[in-house]
């Protein structure tokens, strides 16, 4: 059994109360021991690893807050804060909040020491800041846990990345589809979190000379990397996006996703997003009812002999193993006619020029590569492909665009 902390000399300094639970309360009166036992019975079932607990104990004219500590969960004694901090103001409530985050975590010391208490105080202040107002008069944010503290900042950055991707679309249908495909990113983040090793290290050595700001900064880094282990620059989440301009918000957001994709932070955003989609398990709409309807439409078209399907301005071409997403060349001359025309593909280009009417004649469509993609690989024999347009409902369009974006990322 661990030796409890010695208390100041009082009539109860040698008193040991053995409670019905099997715990011991040292160095306090019988009424205080009962208050300690009641409090521990309330908090320990939900947080069995707590070793620092704030307890309200009775005095003649009022109740007061005291901090109790146990090294083994059995022997509990009051922490003599004045012996550690002297005249310095000490926030017992912050210690209690921080204890819920740090007690039982092997990355943080559990022994009673100035450093241990300061760690818990700073962790508690991060979760629930002291009363006061920020530089612009706002009340400081309050969070239920350090994980929530991190998630609040990450959510802002993830939303900024979503804004960058979604608002860059050329039509409302495409924007809706891009919003849907963001689900793949959420799944990837969940998977990266689950892969975090349990023995995440903590960067600080137990040095009492460290400032509270240094301790708080290290705790922030630890919990950010624990929540988002792929991050290479933790300051992205330590700072708020609230006062950044739009260009700065985009830079931070791109860096966040580039880390997740394992790409340089100056990589093009479409390359970053495509890498994230490829990394995600499954695809963004797999198993959903709307996706199954779209899949059935493509299967019906293939059964009817159509190798090219156009739905809501999105093209799919059957490649012999799967439906390959294609882009439509919108710079064509003439009026497109997807239903009566034929596409003659002489290469493996990724862009389709549709069959179109020109000078009263229906000209076959063809395939080519887009600008900057270089020459397309030639086919041994031309491939004639019949095409069909399939109408879909407006509610299906978002799923179609999401599916098209995911398939395009696999190329």
């Amino acid at each position: 059994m661990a030796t409890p902390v010695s208390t100041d000399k009082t009539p109860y300094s040698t008193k040991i109360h053995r409670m019905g639970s099997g715990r011991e309360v040292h160095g306090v009166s019988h009424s205080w021991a009962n208050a300690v036992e009641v409090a521990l019975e309330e908090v320990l079932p939900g947080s069995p690893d707590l070793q620092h607990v704030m307890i309200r104990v009775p005095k003649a004219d009022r109740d007061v807050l005291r901090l109790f500590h146990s090294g083994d969960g059995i022997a509990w004694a009051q922490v003599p804060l004045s012996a550690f901090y002297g005249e310095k103001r000490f926030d017992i409530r912050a210690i209690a909040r921080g204890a819920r985050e740090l007690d039982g975590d092997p990355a943080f010391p559990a022994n009673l020491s100035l450093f241990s208490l300061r760690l818990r105080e700073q962790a508690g202040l991060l979760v629930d800041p002291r009363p006061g107002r920020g530089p612009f008069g706002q009340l400081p944010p309050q969070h239920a846990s350090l994980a929530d503290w991190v998630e609040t900042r990450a959510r802002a950055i993830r939303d900024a990345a979503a804004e960058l991707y979604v608002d860059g679309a050329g039509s409302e249908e495409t924007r809706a589809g891009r919003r849907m495909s963001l689900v793949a990113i959420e799944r990837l983040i969940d998977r990266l979190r689950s892969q975090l090793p349990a023995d995440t290290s903590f960067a600080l050595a137990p040095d009492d000379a460290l400032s509270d700001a240094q301790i708080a900064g290290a705790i922030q880094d630890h919990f950010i990397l624990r929540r988002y282990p792929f991050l290479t620059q933790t300051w992205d989440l330590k700072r708020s996006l609230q006062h950044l301009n739009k260009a700065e918000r985009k830079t931070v957001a791109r860096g966040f996703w580039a880390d997740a994709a394992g790409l340089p932070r100056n990589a093009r955003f479409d390359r970053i997003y495509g890498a994230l989609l490829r990394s995600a398990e499954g695809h963004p709409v797999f198993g959903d009812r709307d996706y199954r309807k779209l899949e059935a439409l493509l299967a019906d078209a293939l059964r009817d002999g159509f190798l090219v399907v156009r739905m809501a301005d999105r093209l799919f071409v059957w490649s012999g193993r799967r439906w390959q997403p294609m882009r439509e060349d919108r710079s064509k001359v003439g009026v497109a006619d997807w239903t009566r025309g034929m596409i003659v593909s002489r290469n493996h280009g990724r862009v389709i020029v549709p069959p179109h009417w020109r000078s009263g004649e229906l000209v076959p469509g063809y395939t080519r590569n887009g600008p900057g993609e270089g020459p397309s690989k030639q086919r041994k024999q031309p491939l004639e492909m019949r095409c069909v347009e399939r109408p879909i409902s407006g509610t299906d369009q978002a799923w179609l665009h999401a599916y098209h974006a995911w398939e395009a990322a696999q190329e």
Side-chain angles (χ1 to χ4, degrees):
M1 180 181 301
T3 303
V5 179
S6 61
T7 61
D8 295 334
K9 291 299 181 180
T10 71
Y12 311 105
S13 59
T14 60
K15 188 71 173 176
I16 299 178
H17 301 274
R18 292 178 173 84
M19 315 307 291
S21 63
R23 288 186 286 265
E24 297 176 357
V25 184
H26 293 240
V28 298
S29 67
H30 181 71
S31 61
W32 280 33
N34 285 336
V36 171
E37 178 71 355
V38 169
L40 295 178
E41 284 293 311
E42 291 178 352
V43 301
L44 290 185
S47 304
D49 294 326
L50 282 179
Q51 296 189 10
H52 302 78
V53 177
M54 180 187 72
I55 297 175
R56 188 178 299 274
V57 293
K59 293 197 75 171
D61 55 342
R62 68 190 187 284
D63 291 347
V64 295
L65 300 178
R66 293 291 186 266
L67 184 67
F68 282 76
H69 170 76
S70 174
D72 59 4
I74 301 297
W76 291 83
Q78 183 183 347
V79 179
L81 296 178
S82 60
F84 289 113
Y85 273 73
E87 298 301 318
K88 181 176 179 180
R89 183 176 176 82
F90 193 82
D91 193 332
I92 299 179
R93 294 181 186 272
I95 288 256
R97 288 188 296 266
R100 289 185 178 275
E101 300 289 336
L102 308 187
D103 277 353
D105 188 328
F108 296 91
N111 63 303
L112 182 63
S113 67
L114 173 61
F115 181 69
S116 174
L117 293 178
R118 290 176 69 205
L119 280 173
R120 283 151 181 79
E121 181 184 40
Q122 292 306 310
L125 292 174
L126 287 173
V127 172
D128 186 6
R130 294 173 179 173
R133 294 184 178 272
F136 297 94
Q138 307 97 331
L139 288 172
Q142 297 186 356
H143 306 286
S145 66
L146 281 170
D148 179 59
W149 180 90
V150 172
E151 184 64 27
T152 298
R153 285 152 176 78
R155 180 75 268 166
I157 291 177
R158 290 156 72 181
D159 287 346
E163 177 184 346
L164 172 66
Y165 177 65
V166 173
D167 288 354
S171 67
E172 182 53 42
E173 290 80 7
T174 304
R175 280 191 287 273
R178 288 187 174 187
R179 290 189 195 99
M180 282 297 190
S181 60
L182 289 171
V183 176
I185 306 301
E186 300 294 339
R187 292 182 180 179
L188 172 62
I189 295 301
D190 289 340
R191 179 157 59 89
L192 288 170
R193 287 174 178 166
S194 68
Q195 293 173 347
L196 179 69
D199 57 347
T200 305
S201 60
F202 183 59
L204 280 181
D207 181 359
D208 289 348
L210 292 170
S211 69
D212 289 341
Q214 289 174 310
I215 293 177
I219 291 174
Q220 290 176 16
D221 288 346
H222 175 78
F223 277 87
I224 289 171
L225 292 175
R226 167 178 273 197
R227 189 77 169 163
Y228 293 94
F230 55 79
L231 277 184
T232 60
Q233 295 182 20
T234 58
W235 62 266
D236 281 352
L237 295 191
K238 289 169 67 173
R239 66 192 295 195
S240 170
L241 297 182
Q242 181 178 1
H243 305 297
L244 299 181
N245 60 41
K246 188 172 183 178
E248 291 171 329
R249 287 169 58 88
K250 287 185 177 181
T251 298
V252 173
R254 286 164 58 97
F256 180 83
W257 294 123
D259 285 348
L263 292 174
R265 290 192 159 208
N266 60 356
R268 291 198 334 267
F269 188 74
D270 56 351
R271 183 185 174 211
I272 293 171
Y273 191 81
L276 289 172
L277 284 175
R278 285 193 298 275
S279 300
E281 291 182 335
H283 68 70
V285 291
F286 181 76
D288 290 291
R289 180 184 60 185
D290 301 275
Y291 164 69
R292 290 196 295 269
K293 286 191 293 186
L294 298 176
E295 192 178 45
L297 287 172
L298 292 172
D300 289 344
L302 182 62
R303 186 171 55 249
D304 294 339
F306 297 103
L307 300 183
V308 180
V309 181
R310 187 174 188 266
M311 292 186 285
D313 79 4
R314 283 293 183 266
L315 293 175
F316 295 91
V317 177
W318 180 251
S319 65
R321 56 186 180 89
R322 67 180 181 90
W323 286 101
Q324 179 182 0
M326 298 284 280
R327 301 195 306 275
E328 177 183 347
D329 182 358
R330 298 173 186 253
S331 63
K332 56 189 176 294
V333 177
V335 178
D337 192 333
W338 292 96
T339 56
R340 287 182 287 181
M342 180 77 70
I343 295 171
V344 181
S345 174
R346 293 181 170 82
N347 53 53
H348 294 276
R350 295 165 56 85
V351 176
I352 292 182
V353 176
H356 54 276
W357 290 93
R358 185 172 59 195
S359 302
E361 179 184 358
L362 184 58
V363 179
Y366 57 93
T367 56
R368 65 175 181 81
N369 270 356
E373 293 181 339
S376 53
K377 182 181 179 181
Q378 297 297 305
R379 296 183 185 273
K380 294 181 180 180
Q381 296 291 334
L383 175 63
E384 294 187 353
M385 299 183 290
R386 295 170 60 211
C387 52
V388 64
E389 284 200 89
R390 294 295 197 204
I392 64 171
S393 68
T395 57
D396 286 338
Q397 287 187 4
W399 295 104
L400 171 65
H401 285 269
Y403 177 50
H404 193 277
W406 184 85
E407 285 288 344
Q410 313 309 304
E411 297 297 322

